Amino acid sequence: LLDATESSEPPVVVLKTRFMQLQPNLLALGKARLQLFETFCLPTIVAQRDTDFIWIIRTDPDLDPELLIPLKAMLVPYSDRFFLVASNDNTEGFRALNV
């Protein structure tokens, strides 16, 4: 384990978001969520003054292309900080892990 007091570098924050996991074909719901993501979530994160973060956005591996294509297009300008991961593993989140 790295002791943060030994490093002169600031910590990197990791944000994790689930988008339509286990709901790949619910298009009406997905389109509404995509609009919320584009209107509120993405601009809020992009506007952060501190850019020492990465954002992991997990989607269902079978996410409908009508949702996946626009989601990818929104993230292209920020590809250095955003990771789109197709996975239904651990849908409960990191807190559910028994380590």
Side-chain angles (χ1 to χ4, degrees):
L1 241 128
L2 177 64
D3 183 353
T5 60
E6 294 177 10
S7 175
S8 61
E9 297 294 322
V12 174
V13 174
V14 178
L15 303 167
K16 185 196 72 114
T17 301
R18 297 179 309 171
F19 184 81
M20 300 299 290
Q21 282 185 306
L22 303 176
Q23 303 170 321
N25 298 313
L26 299 177
L27 286 179
L29 177 62
K31 288 178 181 181
R33 287 181 175 169
L34 197 59
Q35 189 172 18
L36 288 170
F37 182 84
E38 182 176 31
T39 304
F40 297 106
C41 298
L42 184 60
T44 300
I45 298 301
V46 170
Q48 298 298 308
R49 287 183 291 160
D50 185 350
T51 59
D52 290 331
F53 69 87
I54 59 171
W55 192 3
I56 300 170
I57 303 167
R58 296 186 329 164
T59 67
D60 192 290
D62 297 318
L63 188 63
D64 191 287
E66 284 189 53
L67 302 173
L68 184 58
I69 291 169
L71 180 59
K72 284 181 175 181
M74 288 179 213
L75 298 174
V76 165
Y78 315 104
S79 61
D80 61 327
R81 292 184 277 168
F82 293 77
F83 297 91
L84 191 59
V85 178
S87 172
N88 279 330
D89 292 339
N90 190 24
T91 56
E92 297 83 20
F94 292 124
R95 293 187 182 123
L97 292 176
N98 292 321
V99 180

